[in-house]
Amino acid sequence: MALAQQGSIMTGRRRRALADERGFSLPEILTIVALIGVLSGITIIAFQAAAATIQGDSNLRVVERQLKLARDTAVSQRRSVEVQFVMPNELRVIRRDLPAGTTLLQSAFLENNTTFRRFAGVPDTPDSFGGADAINLGGAAVVLFTSDGMFVDGAGTPVNGTIYIGQAGNSVTQRAVTVFGSTARIRTYRWNGSQWGS
């Protein structure tokens, strides 16, 4: 009898061991797969939003860097340095040589499908230099930094300006750079969907 009882205990243990080794049931596996899918979707959406913000900031730095290069070169080399904004996404920094001629110092392009653009419904920056266009330079056809540290038009009159950039269809990538004419001070702004921030 003790032997029969012992055999029955062993059989019960084997059944439990076999039940523990079966693995996951199909509904359990489907639940796990669904949870992984939902978490992956959330992660992808968050990554895309973060990537757009990073790309917007990167292109903002391109514009700011080119403007600072032009300003610093004008002051250090005692030459006027022109900045050209070539649609849809190119910036050129051109030194005016003496007694005549010009030298292309640098050409840069906005990346990640970013272009000079201003989104409808996005207000002007706090500096209030802009208009409805992507590039607002006080109506000047030519702008340059002078050797005495000013941002002027072709006639030498100081101009305040704003350059807007962004990716089509994604207003969160809206960025702006402003330049103060009399001091050549450069400021950057980021649109967060509801207001401008520095």
Side-chain angles (χ1 to χ4, degrees), residues 3-195:
L3 210 49
Q5 212 172 20
Q6 198 174 22
S8 131
I9 291 172
M10 291 296 279
T11 305
R13 285 184 185 158
R14 280 190 202 130
R15 283 187 197 137
R16 278 193 299 264
L18 286 174
D20 290 343
E21 293 176 9
R22 279 188 327 192
F24 296 104
S25 67
L26 182 60
E28 291 170 330
I29 290 173
L30 291 175
T31 301
I32 290 170
V33 169
L35 284 172
I36 290 172
V38 168
L39 291 174
S40 295
I42 291 170
T43 303
I44 288 170
I45 291 169
F47 175 76
Q48 289 173 338
T53 299
I54 290 167
Q55 291 168 356
D57 289 345
S58 173
N59 284 297
L60 177 67
R61 295 290 163 240
V62 169
V63 176
E64 180 185 31
R65 206 170 23 247
Q66 295 306 303
L67 290 171
K68 285 183 176 181
L69 169 69
R71 181 189 63 195
D72 296 347
T73 301
V75 172
S76 67
Q77 295 185 10
R78 308 299 295 163
R79 300 284 184 272
S80 294
V81 178
E82 184 179 346
V83 181
Q84 294 179 352
F85 302 94
V86 182
M87 295 304 250
N89 65 343
E90 183 183 4
L91 293 95
R92 294 180 188 152
V93 176
I94 301 168
R95 183 183 62 215
R96 293 190 171 178
D97 299 324
L98 292 176
T102 60
T103 301
L104 176 64
L105 299 176
Q106 193 163 19
S107 182
F109 293 87
L110 303 175
E111 299 176 342
N112 307 306
N113 298 318
T114 300
T115 59
F116 300 113
R117 77 172 54 245
R118 180 155 184 207
F119 290 98
V122 175
D124 198 359
T125 65
D127 295 329
S128 300
F129 297 155
D133 297 326
I135 300 170
N136 296 286
L137 302 169
V142 174
V143 289
L144 45 99
F145 290 94
T146 63
S147 59
D148 57 354
M150 294 175 62
F151 186 63
V152 300
D153 62 14
T157 305
V159 293
N160 298 324
T162 304
I163 299 96
Y164 295 96
I165 61 171
Q167 295 173 354
N170 193 352
S171 65
V172 176
T173 63
Q174 180 79 92
R175 302 289 186 269
V177 179
T178 62
V179 184
F180 291 77
S182 58
T183 62
R185 180 179 178 202
I186 298 166
R187 295 183 68 182
T188 60
Y189 293 97
R190 293 166 188 83
W191 179 250
N192 68 9
S194 60
Q195 64 182 4

